[in-house]
Amino acid sequence: MSLTPSRRPALAEEVTKQLRGMIQSGEWPLQEKIPAEPELMASLGVSRGTLREAIKALAHSGMLEVRRGDGTYVRATSEISGAAQRMYKEHTQEHVVEVRVGLDTQAARLATKHATAEDIAAMRALLQARHDAWLAADYPAWARADWDFHERVALASGNPLLHQLYVSFGGVFHDDLLRQQRKAGFNGIPHEGHDELADAIEARDEAAAVASVYRNLDFAAEWINS
């Protein structure tokens, strides 16, 4: 008696690939809930079992987080990012900031050399969105815009590996920002490492860019330890 190989694993792998693509394209934003199961089953044309296999695979990789009774959320934009976020949970916030010093300063240096006019315009737009969200007390939007600005600087570095490593900080960075925001007296729109950094990148001033990054991370370290 011969057994017919099941096609379900192959289908689940294809669905996993499709879901991964939706995350990586930004169609499903970081920290946001993905569509409910019935909607995904209808749009993908798959069974509940196949869909759950795909979601389980992405949850195992760290890209998705299944919250029982609530839904499934995007936690990382790649398997590397997901693995890094699990690793970061084993270390202190101070350790994360110390690692960011290396990545942020190198991203700033390279961005002064490689950033395009489009990059700089995007940075300016994100800083305006960050400013507006803070004044409107829309703190989730403020945290997203702040993170998106730093990620754009990393993208403008022209080094795709550095950018991918930087993206892995997304969830940790977002959560830390919201924790700091809840502390009395916290200023959510400092110029250091933001407006100053954008100015330095546009001026192609490497020293000023790095100095601004240091001031911003010193500010972040103070609030983490307060």
Side-chain angles (χ1 to χ4, degrees):
M1 177 179 178
S2 62
L3 297 176
T4 302
S6 171
R7 296 180 59 83
R8 184 170 176 176
L11 179 57
E13 289 170 11
E14 179 59 32
V15 174
T16 302
K17 181 179 178 181
Q18 288 181 271
L19 301 186
R20 184 187 298 112
M22 292 174 186
I23 296 169
Q24 292 175 335
S25 70
E27 182 177 345
W28 291 349
L30 198 63
Q31 310 301 332
E32 297 294 324
K33 185 189 293 189
I34 71 172
E37 276 189 353
E39 182 180 342
L40 288 174
M41 289 164 57
S43 63
L44 297 170
V46 297
S47 68
R48 188 182 304 274
T50 298
L51 176 63
R52 287 185 174 178
E53 283 187 45
I55 289 175
K56 182 179 179 180
L58 292 176
H60 181 73
S61 74
M63 292 182 72
L64 293 176
E65 178 187 1
V66 180
R67 301 179 187 174
R68 191 177 300 278
D70 184 7
T72 300
Y73 289 77
V74 178
R75 296 297 295 168
T77 55
S78 70
E79 281 86 351
I80 290 176
S81 179
Q85 287 191 46
R86 289 197 301 274
M87 181 180 68
Y88 295 150
K89 291 178 182 178
E90 301 173 4
H91 300 279
T92 66
Q93 291 174 290
E94 289 83 359
H95 291 156
V96 173
V97 169
E98 288 168 0
V99 171
R100 274 195 62 196
V101 169
L103 290 177
D104 279 49
T105 52
Q106 185 64 2
R109 286 191 180 97
L110 292 172
T112 62
K113 296 178 173 64
H114 302 296
T116 65
E118 181 182 355
D119 288 325
I120 294 166
M123 291 176 203
R124 300 288 189 194
L126 288 167
L127 289 176
Q128 186 62 53
R130 166 179 169 268
H131 182 271
D132 293 345
W134 179 261
L135 295 183
D138 185 349
Y139 300 120
W142 159 78
R144 283 194 300 272
D146 196 306
W147 164 249
D148 287 346
F149 167 77
H150 291 290
E151 186 190 332
R152 187 70 192 211
V153 173
L155 180 64
S157 74
N159 185 318
L161 178 57
L162 188 153
H163 177 244
Q164 191 170 24
L165 289 171
Y166 199 87
V167 166
S168 73
F169 280 95
V172 175
F173 183 93
H174 186 273
D175 292 343
D176 282 349
L177 273 179
L178 292 178
R179 261 194 301 271
Q180 292 169 33
Q181 174 269 315
R182 291 191 288 269
K183 296 180 179 179
F186 178 76
N187 170 23
I189 45 176
H191 294 294
E192 297 87 355
H194 299 87
D195 304 270
E196 286 182 359
L197 178 55
D199 291 342
I201 291 171
E202 187 169 21
R204 308 297 179 186
D205 189 334
E206 180 179 322
V210 171
S212 184
V213 167
Y214 275 120
R215 286 193 292 273
N216 180 52
L217 291 177
D218 285 345
F219 172 85
E222 287 176 10
W223 281 96
I224 285 172
N225 294 317
S226 65

